[in-house]
Amino acid sequence: MDEIARIRSAIREAACAAWTALRDERPSEDFYYFGLWTTTLAHRPVPTACSIQGLQRAVDDARRQGLPLGEDDLRWSVNDSPYDQFGDELFAGIEPLFDAVGDAYDRPHEVNQALLEAMIGGLADLDAEGFFGTGLERESLVLNVTLPAHERPADALESARRLNPPRALVRYAADLVSAERG
C-alpha cells in the first residue's frame, strides 16, 4: 500500500470514529453536515459537523455577542458550528503520515492534490459502505471537504457533488448560490 493509500485509509478510520463519537454523544440532534476542512497546502484534515440544534445554539451565541446573524447566515458556516473540530484528536495520529510525504510548504502541488483526493476518497469510502445512511437518511446529510480557498460556491460545490447524491445538495447549492449573489 502506498503512502497516499495509507493516508486515505487513516482518514476513513478517523472520520468513522469522529462521526460515531459525535452521534453517540448527541443522539437526539439532527445533523445535516459532516465534513473535513484543510488548508490549500493540504495539511491534515480537521472534522466538522452541523446540526439543526447546533445551528440554533450558534445563532443564540452570535446574538448574545450583539451580532445580527441568523440561521441563513450560519447554516453552512461550519467553523461557527459548536461541532467544528469535534473529534479532532482522532485525526492527530494522521499527522505523521502527512509529514512523511513532505513538508506542506515544500511538497509538489501534485502531492497536495493527491492528499486532497485522499480526504475526499476517505469520506467516499465510508459513504459507499452506507456508513452515513441510505435513502432519505443519506439525502438529509451533506458531506464535503473544504478549503479556505473555496470562496466561490462553485468551488465548494465541486467536491460536494463528488460526495453526495443530488437530492442532498438541493438546499446546500441554493444557499451557496444565494450567498454569492448576496
Side-chain angles (χ1 to χ4, degrees):
M1 183 183 287
D2 72 349
E3 292 170 325
I4 299 297
R6 269 194 296 282
I7 289 169
R8 178 177 175 152
S9 179
I11 289 168
R12 180 207 170 282
E13 295 305 315
C16 178
W19 180 247
T20 299
L22 181 57
R23 298 295 297 165
D24 287 349
E25 184 171 308
R26 298 291 185 165
S28 63
E29 295 212 18
D30 303 299
F31 287 90
Y32 59 87
Y33 184 94
F34 180 75
L36 305 174
W37 58 263
T38 187
T39 66
T40 54
L41 296 176
H43 285 90
R44 73 120 172 125
V46 176
T48 190
C50 301
S51 72
I52 293 169
Q53 296 80 359
L55 173 60
Q56 189 56 58
R57 286 194 301 281
V59 168
D60 292 346
D61 287 346
R63 289 185 179 153
R64 274 193 295 281
Q65 296 173 35
L67 302 172
L69 299 173
E71 289 182 6
D72 290 342
D73 301 305
L74 296 174
R75 179 171 289 108
W76 304 110
S77 181
V78 299
N79 299 120
D80 291 311
S81 169
Y83 304 115
D84 185 42
Q85 299 184 32
F86 186 97
D88 189 49
E89 69 281 358
L90 300 166
F91 285 77
I94 297 173
E95 192 109 28
L97 297 175
F98 275 69
D99 292 343
V101 295
D103 181 271
Y105 297 96
D106 296 327
R107 45 182 191 234
H109 176 75
E110 296 76 26
V111 173
N112 289 340
Q113 286 304 117
L115 291 169
L116 291 170
E117 287 298 317
M119 293 175 210
I120 291 169
L123 290 181
D125 292 345
L126 287 170
D127 193 36
E129 297 165 14
F131 179 72
F132 296 107
T134 59
L136 291 175
E137 178 185 16
R138 175 60 186 88
E139 290 174 355
S140 69
L141 181 69
V142 172
L143 299 176
N144 210 356
V145 174
T146 58
L147 311 168
H150 285 169
E151 303 270 330
R152 297 177 324 118
D155 296 332
L157 284 171
E158 183 180 331
S159 67
R161 284 191 176 108
R162 294 176 60 196
L163 286 166
N164 294 279
R167 289 182 54 131
L169 295 178
V170 171
R171 181 163 195 174
Y172 186 63
D175 286 351
L176 291 181
V177 169
S178 176
E180 182 176 53
R181 291 184 185 145

